Amino acid sequence: MMDSSTMARAQLPPQVGERSGEEHSLRNDQPVPAGTPERGESPKISVTVGDTRKVRTLEVKAAVENLSFYYGQHRALKNLTIPIADKQVTALIGPSGCGKSTFLRCFNRMHDLQPDTRYEGSITLHPDNLNLVGEHVDPIEVRMRIGMVFQKPNPFPKSVFENVAYGLRLRGVRNRATLAEEVEKALRGAALWDEVKDRLQDSALALSGGQMQRLCIARALATTPEILLFDEPTSALDPIATAKIEELISTLRDQVTVLIVTHNMQQAARVSDYTAFMYLGELIEFDEAAKIFTNPGKKATEDYITGRYG
Amino acid sequence: MSDNPAIATFLDPKLVRDGLSRRKVLDQVFVIVGLLVMLVCLAILAVLFIDLVRDGSERFTWDFFTNFASRRAERAGILAAWVGTTLIMIVTAVCAVPVGVAAAIYLEEYAPKNWFTAIIEINVTNLAGVPSIVYGLLALGLFVYQFDLGQSIAAAGLTLALLILPIVIVATREAIRSVPNAIREAAYGLGATRWEVTKDHVLPYSTGGILTGMILGLSRAIGETAPIITIGALSFIAFLPESPFTSEFPFISFGWLNDPFTAMPIQMFNWVSRPDPAFQSNAAAAGAILLGMTLLMNGVAIWIRYRYRKKINW
Ligand SMILES: Nc1ncnc2c1ncn2[C@@H]1O[C@H](COP(=O)(O)OP(=O)(O)O)[C@@H](O)[C@H]1O
Ligand SMILES: [Mg+2]
């Protein structure tokens, strides 16, 4: 794990820094036919840790390349290229309407539920080189591998237990003991177990807002997703509930790759390892969080994080 | 206070207070008007019901329910009528509910939004306004002659099912639409298919609304007279349809579907048109019972809605 207190600096092809050699390239030179994923070497992100000049490499979990997205004629995302580091928290910041949610929803193909939408470019999931937005890739398969937590807590009006168990049931798990074990594990993972262990059969709608959101996190965790997407998960919560969720996200780093959208800069600075700043559907800057928030490379980024527009 | 003189007077605290009391009076006026209108409606219903009960008071005996129709008013009962009505309602519910719910699910969850589905939608809504006798004529041609069902319980049930199909569809669509999209997204996000989202979430969470729509549809059907007269309900019948329950395996029989029938409104109509005034109290008693059945069904619908609202409030 990277010590986030040290001044770290990522060298990220192609926007930021230089390529550090062929094996560290983000691009897969051999395009893999969609639908027939092939396990391969994941690309790497090199990280130079500030003072010590120590170089460490992180694997890339998903490589977004030249991604554009269209709602009908409206091009909401423009040629985004961002590497998502494995087992790290990557935050997306930017003013309202800049396309953060749109970008996040590309990862689990949520847009496919809406007619007349179109993807261009690719999101390659490593290590099996699966293009998440490939035309021949089944969106349901993608959603089974990539979890999502939404802006407003949206538990099902079922019991706490059934909420968490639902993903497993969809995957065909029927054994009661297995379900109970996995539900407990997921609830512990979402730091909710102690609060709900005596009310597993109660309606999830009886929980507080913060508990509901952690329940939604548990629901997503139960199926051990490879990437967990958060779309402004704390915007409907009070500060204490927010703090708990932020703490939780920081601990989730160990198990899962996290991609989080937030309009709260402090939150991005607190929880993320990498931060992307978007504006009007374009990527303005992508770098290590520490760099973005202390010494941004672009004027626009600096203006935004210092609150000069947005 | 604002610097703009054009609005300054409107913001003056004294004027604000005067204006406020005037606005509150209007508020009160609306409450009173609303209450009055509602009381008038209730009073009309109550008068109607009480009148029927009074006119039919001497007929409210056990025999009235267990006797067949008879030429002598005091011996006549509604046995064939209520059994017929019950069986017809069963056929109607069994046909209209699955078809109506399926159509509503298709329109809400599956159908692409294009001109074709728009036309279907408009038609469904318009069907609800078609006069019931038109359904009767359609059923006479289609069920009675074309499908050769004859003047049977099956034909009557199917006719009334057609009649309430639009009601069931519209009510189910309303219920389905009240399930928040965030819930669908949550389920899709976990990798559910469209059918899984529908059967695990959309349907269970809209059951209250669907049941309410079903009961409201049935309470409309139970009083319909014109379409079942059209297809040929008998008005004088002195036997029951074959029993749905048998003593031998499989203990259930569907022979009754082909039997001729009468129904409550038909029986009432028959009695009302008799010259002998003694039959008028039979008609009134039957009317009170029919009205009671309708009110009871509506009551059950309200209760179901209340129960589900309490369980699931978004
Ligand atoms: N369902 C949609 N259909 C059409 N346009 C949309 C839809 N959702 C978002 N947009 C548009 O896409 C742009 C990006 O929106 P969004 O991703 O929600 O921004 P953010 O999450 O950063 O606030 C906005 O201009 C918005 O109007
Ligand atoms: Mg958003």
Side-chain angles (χ1 to χ4, degrees):
Chain A
M1 226 6 40
M2 185 165 53
D3 181 359
S4 51
S5 63
T6 58
M7 251 301 272
R9 170 127 178 72
Q11 294 180 335
L12 296 160
Q15 270 111 348
V16 202
E18 302 105 58
R19 291 195 184 204
S20 36
E22 211 47 51
E23 72 280 15
H24 291 172
S25 162
L26 200 66
R27 253 172 240 290
N28 304 300
D29 291 327
Q30 300 294 325
V32 177
T36 54
E38 213 177 89
R39 293 208 147 242
E41 183 91 347
S42 302
K44 310 281 192 288
I45 300 179
S46 326
V47 183
T48 318
V49 182
D51 292 339
T52 61
R53 291 275 158 235
K54 213 166 75 193
V55 175
R56 36 167 296 148
T57 35
L58 294 170
E59 303 218 320
V60 169
K61 183 62 197 170
V64 181
E65 286 168 288
N66 300 316
L67 181 73
S68 294
F69 179 80
Y70 298 80
Y71 289 110
Q73 294 301 309
H74 174 56
R75 190 174 181 215
L77 300 179
K78 297 167 190 153
N79 253 342
L80 302 181
T81 300
I82 305 176
I84 309 296
D86 192 28
K87 306 272 167 75
Q88 300 285 305
V89 177
T90 303
L92 296 163
I93 59 170
S96 183
C98 71
K100 305 180 297 292
S101 300
T102 303
F103 177 68
L104 203 67
R105 286 162 162 264
C106 290
F107 280 78
N108 67 346
R109 300 280 294 270
M110 236 26 183
H111 298 303
D112 289 49
L113 297 172
Q114 199 184 327
D116 203 18
T117 53
R118 190 160 56 84
Y119 308 87
E120 266 173 18
S122 64
I123 301 178
T124 311
L125 186 71
H126 293 293
D128 41 2
N129 282 338
L130 178 74
N131 179 10
L132 295 178
V133 297
E135 244 179 79
H136 302 289
V137 175
D138 188 340
I140 294 178
E141 182 197 332
V142 172
R143 291 184 206 130
M144 296 188 97
R145 299 176 60 168
I146 315 276
M148 180 156 186
V149 175
F150 298 82
Q151 189 162 356
K152 237 183 107 217
N154 55 356
F156 303 129
K158 296 180 188 277
S159 68
V160 169
F161 183 91
E162 282 307 321
N163 264 277
V164 183
Y166 186 65
L168 293 167
R169 287 197 192 280
L170 279 180
R171 285 155 181 77
V173 181
R174 292 278 172 273
N175 184 297
R176 287 211 61 85
T178 316
L179 281 174
E181 192 182 316
E182 293 300 315
V183 165
E184 175 174 347
K185 210 192 307 170
L187 284 170
R188 282 190 192 282
L192 189 59
W193 175 252
D194 291 331
E195 287 158 70
V196 301
K197 62 169 183 268
D198 299 322
R199 44 201 287 212
L200 291 177
Q201 297 311 323
D202 291 5
S203 168
L205 299 185
L207 300 179
S208 74
Q211 288 174 326
M212 282 192 202
Q213 195 61 303
R214 275 178 287 146
L215 180 67
C216 293
I217 295 173
R219 182 173 67 185
L221 282 178
T223 54
T224 49
E226 293 170 56
I227 302 178
L228 195 48
L229 311 169
F230 289 88
D231 192 350
E232 305 197 15
T234 62
S235 65
L237 304 180
D238 63 82
I240 292 170
T242 299
K244 275 192 188 154
I245 301 251
E246 283 182 14
E247 199 186 312
L248 174 59
I249 290 173
S250 303
T251 63
L252 285 178
R253 231 194 227 103
D254 297 335
Q255 337 165 13
V256 60
T257 302
V258 172
L259 193 52
I260 176 172
V261 165
T262 171
H263 61 231
N264 178 334
M265 252 86 60
Q266 286 75 32
Q267 182 168 75
R270 280 192 297 264
V271 303
S272 71
D273 303 302
Y274 293 92
T275 304
F277 171 57
M278 288 175 65
Y279 186 60
L280 295 177
E282 288 181 75
L283 178 70
I284 304 297
E285 191 171 353
F286 173 78
D287 211 323
E288 284 211 23
K291 170 81 168 33
I292 290 268
F293 289 103
T294 54
N295 186 18
K298 296 262 170 65
K299 177 82 168 51
T301 316
E302 188 180 338
D303 285 351
Y304 181 69
I305 60 173
T306 53
R308 238 162 285 170
Y309 72 100
Chain B
M1 221 191 275
S2 169
D3 296 335
N4 185 348
I7 63 162
T9 54
F10 294 97
L11 305 178
D12 178 64
K14 166 121 180 31
L15 286 170
V16 164
R17 201 173 304 133
D18 292 350
L20 189 59
S21 43
R22 215 170 337 108
R23 283 157 57 205
K24 278 177 138 173
V25 167
L26 276 178
D27 198 37
Q28 283 303 317
V29 167
F30 182 78
V31 170
I32 292 168
V33 169
L35 214 63
L36 271 180
V37 170
M38 201 183 70
L39 285 177
V40 167
C41 293
L42 272 181
I44 292 174
L45 186 66
V47 167
L48 198 71
F49 193 61
I50 291 169
D51 193 42
L52 285 174
V53 169
R54 222 187 39 210
D55 289 350
S57 58
E58 71 247 45
R59 290 288 177 275
F60 288 115
T61 59
W62 191 243
D63 288 344
F64 191 61
F65 291 90
T66 56
N67 281 2
F68 286 111
S70 162
R71 244 161 304 155
R72 307 224 335 251
E74 58 284 1
R75 289 253 306 271
I78 54 168
L79 178 61
W82 74 255
V83 171
T85 287
T86 310
L87 293 177
I88 292 170
M89 285 304 113
I90 290 172
V91 176
T92 302
V94 164
C95 297
V97 172
V99 175
V101 171
I105 290 173
Y106 176 76
L107 285 174
E108 281 301 314
E109 301 287 318
Y110 285 81
K113 301 278 171 265
N114 56 26
W115 61 268
F116 181 66
T117 47
I119 287 179
I120 294 183
E121 267 173 44
I122 292 170
N123 270 310
V124 168
T125 325
N126 283 343
L127 277 178
V130 171
S132 57
I133 187 124
V134 175
Y135 284 100
L137 284 175
L138 170 76
L140 183 66
L142 194 68
F143 300 138
V144 178
Y145 296 128
Q146 197 70 39
F147 296 169
D148 207 17
L149 291 175
Q151 302 172 343
S152 62
I153 290 178
L158 285 173
T159 309
L160 295 181
L162 271 191
L163 184 80
I164 67 165
L165 202 53
I167 301 176
V168 175
I169 293 176
V170 170
T172 305
R173 292 187 63 186
E174 284 305 319
I176 287 177
R177 230 175 292 164
S178 74
V179 175
N181 249 331
I183 293 291
R184 293 187 182 83
E185 285 193 334
Y188 280 121
L190 287 167
T193 62
R194 233 186 318 205
W195 172 241
E196 283 161 342
V197 172
T198 304
K199 99 176 144 60
D200 295 341
H201 303 286
V202 175
L203 277 183
Y205 310 154
S206 49
T207 312
I210 294 173
L211 288 178
T212 308
M214 174 185 110
I215 294 174
L216 292 182
L218 288 179
S219 67
R220 157 103 196 266
I222 203 171
E224 277 297 338
T225 322
I228 49 178
I229 287 190
T230 315
I231 65 164
L234 302 180
S235 53
F236 190 94
I237 208 168
F239 56 88
L240 283 182
E242 194 181 316
S243 167
F245 308 104
T246 59
S247 52
E248 286 158 47
F249 189 80
F251 307 112
I252 277 182
S253 132
F254 291 101
W256 53 274
L257 282 171
N258 296 317
D259 289 340
F261 65 95
T262 190
M264 293 288 291
I266 308 280
Q267 186 65 71
M268 242 184 104
F269 178 70
N270 174 262
W271 280 332
V272 169
S273 45
R274 298 258 184 137
D276 179 356
F279 278 109
Q280 300 306 316
S281 28
N282 287 22
I289 290 164
L290 189 58
L291 192 56
M293 283 164 106
T294 313
L295 290 180
L296 188 74
M297 286 168 92
N298 282 301
V300 170
I302 291 168
W303 179 72
I304 288 176
R305 196 162 40 191
Y306 170 77
R307 276 284 314 274
Y308 275 87
R309 282 248 176 90
K310 231 170 59 176
K311 217 166 77 184
I312 300 176
N313 64 57
W314 305 108

